[in-house]
């Protein structure tokens, strides 16, 4: 049997050992038919065999981003004004005006990434600063964590929001001391805007998905988990678009999507039956238990230090969350719960435990997403319940640590963004980006996982929580595959698995840890096909 493609190198990380080794990865069709010595691979060479040799570059399994948002990510990556560099409200507004002037045909001006904690004022912005520069065009600007937004008066008018508008469940329409709307909308209140702003025609939706696939291929990502992104993003969800791309042979990344867990179990079963190809699967259900620390919507065991009258609240009544989890568990669905605060994490684990006892189920691999602030008493429960800790290492550098700890108390710092504690407690980990909240590039996540560098890139935050490079790569490959019950098909370089492979421009194991963030992908193979190849210098 002759091979279609053979990748040869001295630095092949199969995922089965802790160091790369010299080997050849032999591919025929869409499968790996052998991982062997370079000498042994010669037996697979034929007239039509393509050989690619990488003497010093690292060959790894294709990356599996276990938590991101496909359409929202592509929208922000391609059609937004990026505000992460803004140092003040005024500077952010000026950036929005400059972008709007360059895009006169855009009906809505959409932006992302502003962070009040990175501003000197430390205060939320106001609609008036946008009104002064853009009085006649609607503006919607997501903050860096995508859990609250900033809008101008024109956008509020389009959505018919004023001081009399009731806030939806788990939503806040911020008002000033006189009762006037400030232009800040939290959580589900953003859906009042996005239902209009994100109503794109089909050609733009297709452009968004095509751009996303090109983006993942460039970064060596061959599988992703596309998680429901909140009520504010529902206008972007159209799984028939994914199916059209799959049937047309246009999917160059495997998509595992998770629609909302909301009590409609019959819809969930229909989606599971309809979407079950090798490249497109409905893999489970996702829901929010809470929000985020900086918005004081994370659900905490103790009150916020800077807002002592609040410890946040659950996104839904606790009894509803537990009921939905039990229903989904009974039907065999994997459940993934966004839980950032320590009380939310405990509620998520309690829900899994109660469902498991009631239904006598096992190995469903439910997951807690983010696990940002955990109570130490809950560390061991992940292993006990067979739950996955779905973590985004790059998130520890999303914002200055001091603003985060100012809200929850510095004494909680050792239990923020844990990885090694969970690993040592026996938990199964899966790594991801949460794109577009953070860049999709796996190198950035690997870098933070092994260095723990903070927002400023100078000081490690909880350095003891660093994991080894080998483990970090496994959590970014096999961890994701395990989470979707596909570890027998994906996640390592082994005979019989799908040929999903990435090649980097250097050997990460041979360079200083700080250099990991600068590594680039030079080749991506998905399903046996080369879907990205960097241009030669």
């Amino acid at each position: 049997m002759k091979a279609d493609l053979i990748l040869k190198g001295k630095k092949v990380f199969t995922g089965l050992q802790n160091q790369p080794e010299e080997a050849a990865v032999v591919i025929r069709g869409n499968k790996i038919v052998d991982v062997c010595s370079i000498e042994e691979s010669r037996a697979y060479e034929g007239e039509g065999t393509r050989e690619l040799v990488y003497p010093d570059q690292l060959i790894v399994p294709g990356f599996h981003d276990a938590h991101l948002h496909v359409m929202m990510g592509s929208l922000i990556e391609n059609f937004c004004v990026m505000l992460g560099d803004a140092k003040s409200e005024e500077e952010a507004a000026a950036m929005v005006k400059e972008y709007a002037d360059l895009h006169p045909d855009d009906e809505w001006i959409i932006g992302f990434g502003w962070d009040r904690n990175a501003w000197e004022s430390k205060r939320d912005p106001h609609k008036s600063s946008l009104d002064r520069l853009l009085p006649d065009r609607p503006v919607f600007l997501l903050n860096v964590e995508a859990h609250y937004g900033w809008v101008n008066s024109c956008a509020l008018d389009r959505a018919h929001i004023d001081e009399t508008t009731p806030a939806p469940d788990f939503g806040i329409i911020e008002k000033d001391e006189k009762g006037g709307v400030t232009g800040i909308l939290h959580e589900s209140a953003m859906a009042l805007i996005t239902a209009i702003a994100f109503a794109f025609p089909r050609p733009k939706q297709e452009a968004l998905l095509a751009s996303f696939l090109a983006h993942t291929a460039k970064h060596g990502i061959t599988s992703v988990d596309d998680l429901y992104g909140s009520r504010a993003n529902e206008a972007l969800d159209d799984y028939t678009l994914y199916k059209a791309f799959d049937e047309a042979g246009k999917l160059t990344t495997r998509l595992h999507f998770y629609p909302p867990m909301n009590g409609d179990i019959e819809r969930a079963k229909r989606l599971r039956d309809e979407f079950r190809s090798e490249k497109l699967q409905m893999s489970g259900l996702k829901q929010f238990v809470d929000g985020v620390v900086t918005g004081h919507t994370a659900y905490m065991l103790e009150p916020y230090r800077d807002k002592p009258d609040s410890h946040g609240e659950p996104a839904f009544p606790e009894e509803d969350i537990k009921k939905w989890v039990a229903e989904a568990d009974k039907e065999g669905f994997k459940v993934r719960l966004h839980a950032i605060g320590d009380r939310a994490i405990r509620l998520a684990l309690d829900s899994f435990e109660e469902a498991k006892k009631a239904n006598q189920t096992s190995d469903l691999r439910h997951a807690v997403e983010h696990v940002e602030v955990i109570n130490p008493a809950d560390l061991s429960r992940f292993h006990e319940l067979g739950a996955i800790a779905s973590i985004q290492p790059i998130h520890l550098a999303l914002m200055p640590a001091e603003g985060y700890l100012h809200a929850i108390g510095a004494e909680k710092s050792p239990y923020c963004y844990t990885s090694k504690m969970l690993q040592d407690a026996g938990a199964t980990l899966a790594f991801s980006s949460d794109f577009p909240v953070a860049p999709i590039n796996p190198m950035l996540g690997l870098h933070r996982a092994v260095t723990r560098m903070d927002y400023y890139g100078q000081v490690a935050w909880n350095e003891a929580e660093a994991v080894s490079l080998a483990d970090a790569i496994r959590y970014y490959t096999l961890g994701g595959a395990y989470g979707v019950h596909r570890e027998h098909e994906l996640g390592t370089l082994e005979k019989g698995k799908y040929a999903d492979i990435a090649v980097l421009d250097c050997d990460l194991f041979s360079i200083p840890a700080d250099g990991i963030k600068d590594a680039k992908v030079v080749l991506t193979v998905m399903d046996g096909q080369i879907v990205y190849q960097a241009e030669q210098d």
Side-chain angles (χ1 to χ4, degrees):
M1 178 177 60
K2 301 305 179 182
D4 297 318
L5 176 65
I6 302 177
L7 304 181
K8 301 178 180 180
K10 295 181 179 179
K11 305 290 185 178
V12 179
F13 182 80
T14 63
L16 303 177
Q17 290 86 29
N18 289 329
Q19 291 288 327
E21 56 193 356
E22 182 174 280
V25 183
V26 183
I27 300 165
R28 181 174 177 83
N30 65 348
K31 295 288 185 69
I32 297 172
V33 297
D34 205 354
V35 180
C36 57
S37 71
I38 291 175
E39 180 63 32
E40 290 170 330
S41 73
R42 292 192 171 92
Y44 294 99
E45 295 174 5
E47 185 176 339
T49 302
R50 184 176 182 183
E51 298 177 52
L52 296 174
V53 181
Y54 298 97
D56 302 310
Q57 297 96 325
L58 187 64
I59 300 173
V60 297
F63 292 103
H64 187 139
D65 192 311
H67 181 133
L68 52 65
H69 310 286
V70 170
M71 298 299 280
M72 173 58 77
S74 190
L75 172 64
I76 287 172
E77 184 76 19
N78 297 286
F79 299 100
C80 279
V81 50
M82 303 302 290
L83 302 171
D85 292 334
K87 302 303 181 187
S88 67
E89 175 180 353
E90 293 74 21
E91 184 178 352
M95 292 167 71
V96 173
K97 176 64 164 66
E98 181 180 4
Y99 179 90
D101 289 345
L102 293 172
H103 298 82
D105 296 327
D106 287 3
E107 182 180 0
W108 281 78
I109 305 303
I110 298 169
F112 175 77
W114 61 271
D115 179 15
R116 69 182 180 201
N117 293 301
W119 299 348
E120 185 177 349
S121 70
K122 309 297 183 186
R123 295 193 306 268
D124 276 335
H126 194 271
K127 64 181 180 179
S128 59
S129 55
L130 296 173
D131 292 347
R132 283 192 292 271
L133 299 177
L134 286 165
D136 301 320
R137 296 178 70 183
V139 177
F140 173 62
L141 310 172
L142 273 166
N143 92 305
V144 67
E145 293 183 289
H147 280 257
Y148 45 104
W150 171 24
V151 300
N152 65 350
S153 294
C154 185
L156 293 169
D157 290 343
R158 291 280 187 99
H160 305 292
I161 299 172
D162 59 25
E163 61 275 5
T164 67
T165 304
D169 292 341
F170 198 60
I172 300 170
I173 300 173
E174 287 280 4
K175 296 177 182 177
D176 59 28
E177 62 277 4
K178 295 182 180 179
V181 176
T182 68
I184 299 297
L185 307 174
H186 291 261
E187 305 293 351
S188 63
M190 292 188 293
L192 302 173
I193 296 287
T194 56
I196 307 167
F198 292 171
F200 300 129
R202 188 70 166 198
K204 186 165 184 176
Q205 292 178 322
E206 292 172 351
L208 287 170
L209 182 52
S211 178
F212 173 83
L213 295 171
H215 198 47
T216 49
K218 180 180 178 180
H219 288 293
I221 298 168
T222 54
S223 290
V224 302
D225 296 350
D226 179 32
L227 272 60
Y228 169 65
S230 86
R231 284 167 274 190
N233 296 342
E234 286 185 3
L236 292 172
D237 292 340
D238 185 351
Y239 305 127
T240 64
L241 175 67
Y242 295 176
K243 190 169 188 178
F245 270 58
D246 187 25
E247 292 175 344
K250 294 180 179 179
L251 285 185
T252 53
T253 300
R254 301 183 196 276
L255 301 183
H256 308 87
F257 68 88
Y258 290 73
M261 180 185 69
N262 54 16
D264 190 350
I265 204 71
E266 294 305 316
R267 176 178 182 260
K269 291 195 292 188
R270 289 194 300 271
L271 288 172
R272 181 170 59 183
D273 291 342
E274 182 179 359
F275 296 92
R276 54 195 318 167
S277 78
E278 294 175 355
K279 296 180 183 177
L280 177 62
Q281 299 182 7
M282 187 279 207
S283 296
L285 298 168
K286 190 271 181 105
Q287 195 46 269
F288 289 77
V289 176
D290 67 347
V292 294
V293 166
T294 59
H296 300 99
T297 52
Y299 195 29
M300 305 298 297
L301 289 169
E302 299 172 351
Y304 284 96
R305 289 298 175 85
D306 61 344
K307 195 175 182 181
D309 61 339
S310 173
H311 51 63
E313 62 182 27
F316 300 91
E318 292 193 12
E319 58 271 22
D320 287 353
I321 293 171
K322 290 183 175 181
K323 176 185 175 184
W324 292 345
V325 169
E327 290 174 346
D329 179 274
K330 185 176 182 179
E331 295 294 338
F333 286 105
K334 294 181 286 293
V335 174
R336 301 178 68 163
L337 294 177
H338 166 118
I340 281 179
D342 47 16
R343 189 167 181 175
I345 295 167
R346 182 165 294 175
L347 174 56
L349 294 170
D350 287 348
S351 299
F352 296 160
E353 183 174 9
E354 291 178 19
K356 186 175 183 178
K357 287 180 180 177
N359 299 324
Q360 295 297 300
T361 49
S362 63
D363 198 34
L364 286 183
R365 304 179 189 177
H366 303 320
V368 181
E369 304 297 320
H370 308 304
V371 198
E372 284 189 14
V373 188
I374 190 168
N375 185 285
D378 291 317
L379 288 164
S380 62
R381 297 183 68 197
F382 282 84
H383 174 70
E384 293 165 3
L385 296 171
I388 296 168
S390 178
I391 293 171
Q392 301 72 43
I394 195 173
H395 277 203
L396 67 91
L398 274 184
M399 65 197 70
E402 56 266 27
Y404 196 94
L405 297 176
H406 177 70
I408 61 172
E411 71 278 2
K412 293 186 183 292
S413 180
Y415 303 102
C416 292
Y417 299 101
T418 57
S419 290
K420 192 64 166 62
M421 282 184 187
L422 285 160
Q423 182 187 65
D424 290 345
T428 297
L429 276 62
F431 281 173
S432 57
S433 65
D434 197 14
F435 177 70
V437 173
I440 203 170
N441 183 359
M443 298 303 108
L444 302 179
L446 292 175
H447 173 256
R448 298 299 183 184
V450 303
T451 68
R452 302 289 298 187
M453 285 294 103
D454 69 359
Y455 173 83
Y456 301 105
Q458 298 172 348
V459 179
W461 187 4
N462 293 349
E463 189 172 6
E465 288 304 298
V467 298
S468 71
L469 177 58
D471 283 339
I473 295 174
R474 274 191 283 263
Y475 297 151
Y476 237 120
T477 52
L478 185 59
Y482 179 86
V484 294
H485 276 86
R486 300 190 73 180
E487 71 276 12
H488 60 292
E489 299 176 318
L490 309 168
T492 57
L493 301 180
E494 293 183 79
K495 181 178 179 178
K497 289 194 172 185
Y498 287 115
D500 292 5
I501 305 165
V503 182
L504 310 185
D505 65 354
C506 62
D507 174 21
L508 300 184
F509 290 85
S510 301
I511 64 173
D514 195 53
I516 294 172
K517 66 181 184 301
D518 301 315
K520 301 288 192 298
V521 170
V522 297
L523 182 81
T524 304
V525 176
M526 200 285 291
D527 212 43
Q529 301 297 312
I530 295 175
V531 296
Y532 172 78
Q533 190 165 17
E535 295 182 4
Q536 299 292 326
D537 292 334

